[in-house]
Amino acid sequence: MAKEFLLVDGYNIIHAWDELKELVEDVSLESARQKLMDVLSNYKGTSKATIILVFDGYLVKGNIGTVYEYNNIYVVYTKEAETADHYIERVVTSLPKHYKVRVATGDGLEQLIIYGQGATRMTAKELWIEVQAVETELREKFIENRPPKNNILADHLDEESLAWFEALRRKK
């Protein structure tokens, strides 16, 4: 099976998702970045793709760029004079053509460029919908499989045994 990659234009997604946009306005850009990193890290738990979250560092004077692993995803801050778009284009171009590569960005021009390189484009809204679907599925599985609240004997009995105990209790 071909290796899968999901490259995410970080600031583009932050400014496209209402929840993250509000964090920028009400708290800080750093909080929105951290929230996006956490969301994608949770999403990675159900995805086979290698997730690379890219933030622009092009306006930071003397920035040499950084790449580090955050939980189970990779986070990239581009170097001075390099945009997230340029970094993503470079990665898409350098990956073998038989890899499945998706790029999440709302930038229309970027979508055209990466599509021309053989990657699949994904809008910010499509990524949000996919992430929400995964979160809902995980929440439902947790609720379905969580241990009983009180951990009492009745929580572990089948209907017939429970009825027998109830009848015994009423005989008192």
Side-chain angles (χ1 to χ4, degrees):
M1 181 153 79
K3 206 159 164 69
E4 296 179 34
F5 286 86
L6 171 62
L7 289 101
V8 179
D9 185 335
Y11 290 132
N12 190 279
I13 299 298
I14 285 173
H15 294 294
W17 290 4
D18 291 338
E19 177 185 0
L20 298 178
K21 215 181 335 184
E22 288 173 16
L23 261 180
V24 171
E25 294 164 4
D26 299 342
V27 183
S28 69
L29 181 59
E30 177 57 33
S31 297
R33 277 194 301 253
Q34 189 62 50
K35 175 73 175 177
L36 180 57
M37 289 164 49
D38 290 339
V39 165
L40 291 176
S41 184
N42 287 341
Y43 172 71
K44 170 60 179 144
T46 64
S47 173
K48 295 175 188 151
T50 298
I51 297 177
I52 303 170
L53 174 59
V54 183
F55 292 109
D56 288 321
Y58 75 101
L59 290 178
V60 181
K61 200 90 171 129
N63 185 11
I64 59 169
T66 56
V67 177
Y68 64 95
E69 198 168 345
Y70 176 78
N71 294 332
N72 51 1
I73 66 171
Y74 293 95
V75 179
V76 175
Y77 286 90
T78 63
K79 61 187 175 190
E80 181 183 7
E82 182 179 40
T83 65
D85 291 348
H86 289 128
Y87 182 89
I88 290 169
E89 289 166 24
R90 191 163 39 95
V91 170
V92 169
T93 303
S94 68
L95 288 171
K97 296 299 176 210
H98 65 277
Y99 284 4
K100 181 180 178 189
V101 181
R102 295 187 305 162
V103 176
T105 181
D107 184 326
L109 180 59
E110 179 66 9
Q111 289 175 356
L112 285 173
I113 292 169
I114 59 97
Y115 188 70
Q117 296 295 326
T120 307
R121 69 155 184 85
M122 180 180 225
T123 65
K125 184 175 183 176
E126 289 169 334
L127 179 61
W128 185 84
I129 289 169
E130 200 168 294
V131 165
Q132 293 304 308
V134 165
E135 285 180 4
T136 300
E137 182 184 333
L138 288 174
R139 193 176 303 107
E140 287 171 358
K141 279 184 183 176
F142 171 77
I143 290 169
E144 187 179 297
N145 297 320
R146 74 177 167 203
K149 245 184 193 172
N150 300 323
N151 202 22
I152 58 176
L153 177 63
D155 292 333
H156 301 281
L157 295 176
D158 60 42
E159 293 295 322
E160 184 182 343
S161 300
L162 194 56
W164 182 80
F165 269 109
E166 184 60 25
L168 187 63
R169 185 182 69 81
R170 288 183 185 193
K171 283 186 180 177
K172 288 184 179 184

